[in-house]
Amino acid sequence: MALNVKYFFITLLFGSIVAAVLLKPFETIKVKKENIPQLKFVSFESFEITKKGVESIGFGSEALKYEKRLTIKFPKFMRQTKKGIETVSANNGVIVEDSYVRLYDFVELSRDDNLTIKSSKMLYDMKTKLYSTEGNRFEAYYGKNVVTGESLKYYQKSGKIFADKIYAKIFEEDR
């Protein structure tokens, strides 16, 4: 009987070795690093500091840093411009590799000179300093004046604004 058990274990060992050599090894699914958050920020402030001083400030309630992007809940950015302080806020935003910021869900851009622009989505190109609603509808307010339209483009450096399909209610003050 002892001899049979010995042969059983030898057969089992030999069978395991053959199975390990001939069968395909267990494969795991590789997850791309760009889809896994690397850092999480909660209630944060971010400052852009240059030789001139603080150029802009960013706020958010929560941010997740991925390999090539940063997603932000309730982002708010403030920047000093020739027209005064410019503020842009939204419910959600994504910053992609120092090239653009995509804001969506109740986007509002305002300046100290009483200009306010509202849209559901807005893209800010960091290189050209251009805000764009990318074909989406917008509402712009300047004092009592109201302008609605589509495809707004606002050049931050020059302050020029272009849009399509506009409808405006302009109020003139009595002098």
Side-chain angles (χ1 to χ4, degrees):
M1 183 85 168
L3 191 59
N4 289 341
V5 172
K6 181 180 174 185
Y7 287 125
F8 174 73
F9 281 116
I10 291 173
T11 307
L12 186 62
L13 177 65
F14 180 72
S16 298
I17 293 171
V18 170
V21 172
L22 297 179
L23 295 176
K24 289 184 179 179
F26 179 73
E27 295 180 22
T28 59
I29 298 172
K30 291 185 181 180
V31 178
K32 292 184 179 180
K33 190 176 179 181
E34 63 189 36
N35 293 328
I36 300 173
Q38 298 167 354
L39 289 172
K40 181 176 182 177
F41 304 96
V42 178
S43 297
F44 69 93
E45 294 179 13
S46 173
F47 299 89
E48 179 186 357
I49 302 171
T50 65
K51 292 179 182 177
K52 297 177 184 178
V54 176
E55 293 276 326
S56 66
I57 302 172
F59 304 91
S61 66
E62 179 180 298
L64 294 174
K65 172 71 176 103
Y66 295 86
E67 186 177 21
K68 296 181 180 182
R69 70 186 190 285
L70 179 72
T71 63
I72 306 170
K73 289 193 184 284
F74 302 108
K76 181 176 185 177
F77 301 101
M78 300 171 74
R79 177 179 292 281
Q80 180 67 42
T81 66
K82 293 176 185 175
K83 303 262 185 188
I85 296 194
E86 182 177 88
T87 304
V88 63
S89 61
N91 285 351
N92 292 293
V94 177
I95 300 174
V96 178
E97 287 191 335
D98 296 329
S99 62
Y100 66 87
V101 179
R102 185 176 303 281
L103 300 166
Y104 51 98
D105 296 336
F106 305 107
V107 182
E108 183 173 304
L109 183 142
S110 60
R111 291 190 322 211
D112 279 349
D113 65 350
N114 217 13
L115 172 69
T116 301
I117 300 169
K118 295 180 181 183
S119 182
S120 62
K121 295 178 183 177
M122 196 171 290
L123 179 82
Y124 176 69
D125 187 323
M126 293 182 197
K127 294 175 183 143
T128 60
K129 307 260 189 229
L130 169 71
Y131 286 100
S132 170
T133 62
E134 299 182 298
N136 292 296
R137 297 201 46 77
F138 72 90
E139 295 174 351
Y141 304 90
Y142 193 74
K144 293 180 181 178
N145 304 316
V146 180
V147 177
T148 60
E150 295 177 7
S151 302
L152 176 125
K153 290 184 180 176
Y154 165 53
Y155 293 88
Q156 187 183 46
K157 284 184 178 180
S158 66
K160 292 182 180 180
I161 300 173
F162 299 93
D164 294 333
K165 299 181 184 177
I166 61 169
Y167 174 78
K169 287 185 180 181
I170 309 291
F171 293 92
E172 242 183 80
E173 292 183 20
D174 293 335
R175 295 180 194 212

